[in-house]
Amino acid sequence: MNDTSQLRLLPWRSAEGKPCYLSTGDPNSRLSRLADEMEEEQIECGNVVLEGAQEVLADQVAGEVAVRFALTQAVLSLREVLLVAHSRGQRIPDAGDL
């Protein structure tokens, strides 16, 4: 993080669907490590969903239900991976800070 006073966007949402943030300058804190692990799981799940969606799209006889399910899962995964990307982008130091 550029500044220890910045908040880290976490890879999950509150029960109300609002973003969650962590205020710590310690990337090795317990919650920071948990967030890192969850980000990796979300990325891996995105890869699995992508493979499944590609299989459905390649199946010429896949029905509407299968296509809609694959698309729904792809949208959910994309939302999570974009949240991870946004969070990680916020933690990249400015060129002037290097």
Side-chain angles (χ1 to χ4, degrees):
M1 287 178 14
N2 305 2
D3 177 8
T4 57
S5 65
Q6 285 187 331
L7 300 176
R8 175 183 177 172
L9 177 62
L10 295 172
W12 56 78
R13 296 198 172 270
S14 71
E16 297 81 30
K18 296 181 180 179
C20 295
Y21 295 90
L22 174 62
S23 176
T24 182
D26 181 6
N28 294 312
S29 72
R30 186 174 189 175
L31 197 51
S32 291
R33 288 191 323 267
L34 176 64
D36 291 342
E37 291 169 10
M38 183 166 228
E39 286 179 352
E40 291 304 319
E41 287 178 25
Q42 288 171 325
I43 291 169
E44 181 55 35
C45 285
N47 284 323
V48 170
V49 168
L50 176 61
E51 289 174 13
Q54 288 172 321
E55 289 175 11
V56 170
L57 291 174
D59 183 353
Q60 297 297 317
V61 296
E64 179 184 348
V65 173
V67 172
R68 291 183 65 79
F69 179 78
L71 180 58
T72 299
Q73 296 306 306
V75 167
L76 294 172
S77 288
L78 179 59
R79 183 178 294 134
E80 289 181 346
V81 170
L82 288 174
L83 181 63
V84 169
H86 181 70
S87 176
R88 289 182 176 184
Q90 288 180 329
R91 290 179 278 151
I92 295 173
D94 292 331
D97 293 341
L98 296 176

